[in-house]
């Protein structure tokens, strides 16, 4: 059972209604996570702004989806695993093997693999990475800007993972379960 209410966009007013209308026009629906975030329009707007900014970053949408899967697996967020598996396969056209590998922090491409490994280190070390960790990422071809974006993607996904795990958001995508929850 959900712990935070997913608002009905038809029954909202003010800033939440404005944000829901924008989401509806872009996606054709308002996903349950965003409906629950709408209880705090400030949170929903912050999420949308950071997500939107990162989607135009140097790492690109594909790497962003793979990072989301790696972070979500480690945080056991079934909602985000479900959403990003669906988005990755159906909208970004990433093959299922690549999606599954990303959940475990692995990629065939050296640079993408380094991004996933760095994201995993950020989580394992609570952000307290060291010179060697950063230099290893740089040696794999990641720029300082891309390393900064990885930190941003990790932070964004920790936000959504923690939010959905707190809210126990009803999954409105084909369900994918974290290995620790299986």
């Amino acid at each position: 059972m959900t712990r935070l209410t997913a608002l009905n966009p038809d029954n909202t007013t003010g800033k939440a209604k404005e944000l829901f209308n924008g989401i509806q026009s872009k996606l054709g629906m308002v996903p349950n996570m965003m409906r629950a975030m709408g209880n705090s329009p400030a949170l929903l707007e912050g999420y949308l702004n950071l997500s939107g900014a990162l989607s135009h970053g140097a790492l690109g949408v594909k790497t962003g989806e793979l990072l989301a899967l790696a972070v979500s697996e480690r945080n056991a967020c079934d909602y985000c695993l479900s959403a990003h598996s669906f988005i990755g396969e159906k909208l970004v056209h990433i093959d299922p093997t690549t999606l599954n590998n990303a959940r475990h922090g692995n990629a065939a491409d050296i640079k993408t693999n380094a991004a996933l490994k760095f994201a995993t280190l950020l989580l394992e070390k609570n952000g307290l990475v060291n010179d060697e960790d950063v230099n290893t990422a740089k040696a794999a071809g990641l720029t300082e800007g891309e390393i900064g974006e990885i930190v941003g993607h990790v932070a964004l996904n920790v936000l959504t993972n923690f939010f959905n795990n707190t809210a126990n958001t009803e999954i409105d995508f084909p369900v994918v379960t974290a290995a620790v929850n299986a």
Side-chain angles (χ1 to χ4, degrees):
M1 173 170 240
T2 61
R3 295 185 200 105
L4 300 178
T5 303
L7 302 176
N8 181 336
D10 296 333
N11 298 334
T12 59
T13 59
K15 187 66 174 181
K17 179 70 169 173
E18 176 187 323
L19 293 168
F20 286 162
N21 287 343
I23 295 163
Q24 178 71 39
S25 68
K26 184 176 179 182
L27 301 180
M29 66 175 290
V30 181
N32 285 338
M33 178 191 81
M34 295 176 202
R35 290 174 50 190
M37 282 183 167
N39 286 295
S40 169
L43 172 64
L44 178 57
E45 185 174 31
Y47 160 75
L48 291 170
N49 286 338
L50 181 55
S51 178
L54 288 172
S55 74
H56 300 293
L59 290 174
V61 175
K62 179 180 178 180
T63 300
E65 290 303 317
L66 299 177
L67 287 164
L69 289 167
V71 174
S72 299
E73 182 68 36
R74 273 152 193 78
N75 288 325
C77 182
D78 294 345
Y79 186 92
C80 291
L81 283 169
S82 300
H84 291 288
S85 293
F86 179 83
I87 292 165
E89 183 175 354
K90 303 298 184 193
L91 302 179
V92 184
H93 308 292
I94 303 170
D95 68 273
T97 300
T98 300
L99 294 171
N100 188 57
N101 287 342
R103 289 177 60 185
H104 304 289
N106 299 308
D109 173 74
I110 293 171
K111 191 172 177 181
T112 304
N113 193 61
L116 295 174
K117 297 296 186 211
F118 189 73
T120 301
L121 279 173
L122 283 167
L123 292 168
E124 289 173 4
K125 295 183 173 189
N126 295 317
L128 299 172
V129 294
N130 59 36
D131 292 349
E132 182 181 341
D133 299 328
V134 173
N135 289 333
T136 298
K138 287 179 180 180
L142 291 167
T143 67
E144 291 184 6
E146 289 168 328
I147 291 168
E149 285 182 27
I150 293 165
V151 174
H153 278 282
V154 169
L156 176 67
N157 286 287
V158 166
L159 168 66
T160 59
N161 295 168
F162 285 16
F163 180 83
N164 287 306
N165 287 342
T166 297
N168 198 30
T169 308
E170 182 179 342
I171 299 172
D172 45 359
F173 297 93
V175 175
V176 175
T177 305
V180 295
N181 290 340

